[in-house]
Amino acid sequence: MEGWGAVYLQQVVNGLTIGSVYALIALGYTMVYGVLEMINFAHGDVFMVGSFVGLLVLALLAPSSSAAAGGGLLLVLGAVFLGAMASCGSLGVTIERVAYRPLRASSRLGPLISALGVSLFIQNAVMLLVGARPKAFPQLIPKQLYHVGGAVFTNVQVIILLASLLLMLALDQFVRRTRWGRAMRAVAQDAEAAGFMGVEVNSVVTLTFLLGSILAAGAGIMVGLYYGIVDFFMGYVAGLKAFTAAVLGGIGNLRGAMLGGLLLGLAESFGAGFVGAHWRDVIAFGVLITVLVLRPGGLLGEHLPEKV
Amino acid sequence: MRRRVAGNLWIIGGLLLLALGLATGAVAQQQKVVIAVTSPQSGPQAAWGSELIRGAELALAEYDPKKLKFKYEILPLDDQADPKVGLTVANKLKVDKDVMGVIGPWNSGVAIPASPVYSEAKLPLFAIASDPKLTRQGFTNIFRTVSTNDFQAIGGEAYLVGELKKKRVAIIHDNTIPGVTISEIFRDMAKKDKAEIVMFEGVSWGERDWSPVLTSLKQKNADALYLVTVFADVALAMKQMKDLGMNLTVLGPDGMYSDELITLGGPAVEGACATALGADVNKLPSASKFVSAFKAKYNESPQQYSVFAYEDMHILIKAIEKAGKKDRAAILKAVREVTPYDGALGRTAFNGRGDTVNQVIGIFCVKDGKWGYLKTADIPKDRMPK
């Protein structure tokens, strides 16, 4: 590796890759907080389930688990993404119906405790179903290395970055331009008033969980492809980091979650790369604390319902 | 089906007991001596723990019962790899007047808390646990034929720096106490041998993203990496090394010595090497008799640890026969008298602490998608335990 410029560039690539995954998961936290003002702590585990459903779909499609060729590869990838997104979408919606909706009128702690319970339930259910040992995620996409300016990145990293950005852009436009998106924004602003104006609040909440879980499933597949190893506990740390990213950007703020995710990824890779690997989390959370001290609402401002 | 097997087992067990009863009737003049084997015999580590029983049984089968002064019995006790259960087992054995020796525990986490109880009971404890701390508490009743973890670092260094002549070595550990300890021993030895330590970092278990630390490693032009962590993390690290276009020799202690490493890492872990406690017993000339007896009796090749239990049982029987009485203190003294002992592991002699001075560290490498035995590390004489 040549000079510092190359190292710098390499760490940017490292940080953006993991950061875009954080951002995808963070969107789920932030959307749910926007409409319900609750933190869905089971969201990280939905992301983990996404990885395992992807693994299951792969096992069903290609028992040999060898990479499919050319056009077949795109079909397989599509099937894996669709299968994981469909399952996680319904899982997210079910969690809301079963564990959160009955508690919506209770204290703010009710849904939080319930979410922690759901998280433990999902983790242990997956552990009992597939075992505690890490599983190999087949390398569907034949890896290619690109050397640019002394840095190295793989086609998988490019795919992750592009796919994440595409999903985020789609969500952003959906919320800004469609009727459903407007309904979501209305409920986020004032659920009661939106209800009076004929918005079906419960449908909007369901939609929010559906979208967040679909994005988490996408992230789950990408992480599987990127690292090639998945286990039942992977949602815990990833969820924690993504939640941090959401707070960093401003909880409840969609673009804030995207920015927060990318920034956290960069902070981690620069921290681990230039200061020391064991400083990684110290630096990531140090950045969070600093931002919150200077800007309590996060980088792009917290989304606060306008109570008049 | 399972129930029927269990039923059959009861019948067989009953018959065995009956046979035992008849046998004891026949040789009533022989007093009973019990050797306990404590190890995980259920749960995820049962495969390792149960191997110890086999090793002990094989050793006992090599003696003609009529020519022995005592009637030996092996008592398997499942400590479940749990320190609390291990303590219960120790207290039970302490008061059992027939128990004259113990093989195990297998886990350091079980052996260390239970060791004061065994020491108080003056019971000869032939531990299979490999944490160096066990024999450094000042007890006089603990012996180990198995190599200790500090020698994984010493042996690994002897191979990587001493033999492969690596000059710029990076060390990444898992932030655990044993991991850091091993890494520090390796570092000190490597410095003695004039290698440059270009990195000494910690990455905790479960960290998936190794790219930042690997990027900084790549810049340091290391020619070898000593990687002290569990197999899943080694697989992650080596996959990401490949993605960064890195290619350097990777060696680590036995936390990565598992077929799972290859399952998870695939082609990325090709060429990785691990140290393990002991040589590959199936390729050890001195152990050929043991290996063929093992295969004849159990229809499979012995794994890593049964040979130590086999050796321990032999030393115990020889010591008890020499003492000639059921007196634990006398037997402890006799262990010192019957060693050095030439057996399956070569020449076993215990130093003052009770560790074997014959520290054997095997080097295993991934070749063509399989773990293969390379050789034993050539540890310099002056680094062997005194």
Side-chain angles (χ1 to χ4, degrees), chain A residues 11 14 133 143 231 277 280, chain B residues 201 208-209 212 215 243 260:
Chain A
Q11 297 294 20
N14 298 339
R133 295 196 151 215
K143 278 231 170 97
D231 67 68
R280 178 184 194 131
Chain B
E201 290 261 6
R208 275 172 192 77
D209 188 21
T215 298
D243 289 353
E260 294 274 321

Side-chain angles (χ1 to χ4, degrees), chain B residues 241-279:
Chain B
M241 279 163 77
K242 213 172 167 177
D243 289 353
L244 287 165
M246 296 166 73
N247 189 6
L248 44 114
T249 313
V250 174
L251 173 87
D254 59 5
M256 65 191 264
Y257 180 44
S258 152
D259 287 332
E260 294 274 321
L261 176 78
I262 298 159
T263 314
L264 294 174
V269 298
E270 186 72 18
C273 295
T275 54
L277 300 160

